[in-house]
Amino acid sequence: MRERAKMAETGFSLASAAAERLGGSGSIGFEIRTDADLVKAVEAGFRTESLAALAAGGVSDQEIAALVINPRTLSHRRAKGERLTVDESDRAARLARTVALADRTFANSDKADRWLHRELRVLDGRRPIDLVRTQVGARIVEDVLMRIAWGAPA
């Protein structure tokens, strides 16, 4: 909770940072400043371009397939010009939030990427990126990242 207050003091918005990972207002459809804005965007469904932005930011196609949407389904959505569903958009937002928080915590995207893909004892030997599959797992990863940010034992 303190890290969130610290982020607010510095003008950092995790929702805004996640939106940037998803391509910003150009891909999402409108500007994201708050968590409430992100909820509205998820409910409206992200444009498929948001996943291309995630991939351009370092998230692999395999991770998008495993954590957000099946490649064949994505291909159909793109061909028909359809938006992602609420569930798919929610999973994309969860992944983007986690990556953005890791980047913020480590202040270096390469270090953040290595951390997200490393098996960690604190996560019972699992990789943080794999836990993002569920909301509960993502919350655990966020908690670990916040402890790291505060210098507490992770």
Side-chain angles (χ1 to χ4, degrees):
M1 196 63 157
R2 288 182 184 158
E3 179 61 18
R4 289 185 182 161
K6 181 178 169 186
M7 288 180 197
E9 289 172 10
T10 62
F12 178 78
S13 161
L14 186 52
S16 179
E20 286 305 310
R21 283 274 177 190
L22 292 162
S25 60
S27 288
I28 294 174
F30 54 91
E31 192 168 343
I32 305 296
R33 291 190 182 130
T34 66
D35 287 337
D37 294 337
L38 188 57
V39 168
K40 288 178 192 173
V42 165
E43 289 172 342
F46 294 150
R47 295 177 180 153
T48 57
E49 293 87 358
S50 63
L51 298 180
L54 257 180
V59 177
S60 74
D61 290 337
Q62 293 82 7
E63 290 165 338
I64 291 171
L67 301 172
V68 180
I69 187 172
N70 177 293
R72 186 172 173 165
T73 304
L74 178 57
S75 178
H76 286 291
R77 292 232 199 299
R78 283 185 176 137
K80 294 179 180 180
E82 296 176 347
R83 290 178 174 266
L84 301 180
T85 66
V86 171
D87 288 338
E88 293 159 352
S89 297
D90 188 50
R91 291 190 297 265
R94 184 168 54 230
L95 177 56
R97 279 177 52 94
T98 304
V99 172
L101 184 57
D103 281 353
R104 173 71 176 197
T105 300
F106 293 103
N108 178 302
S109 59
D110 289 334
K111 285 182 183 178
D113 188 61
R114 283 193 303 273
W115 184 85
L116 285 167
H117 292 88
R118 181 178 300 139
E119 293 175 354
L120 301 176
R121 187 174 32 210
V122 69
L123 300 175
D124 294 328
R126 296 183 68 186
R127 301 178 326 150
I129 195 75
D130 295 330
L131 290 178
V132 177
R133 184 177 320 273
T134 66
Q135 181 62 34
V136 173
R139 291 297 301 244
I140 292 168
V141 172
E142 284 183 15
D143 287 345
V144 172
L145 284 166
M146 295 225 192
R147 285 186 292 195
I148 291 168
W150 275 93

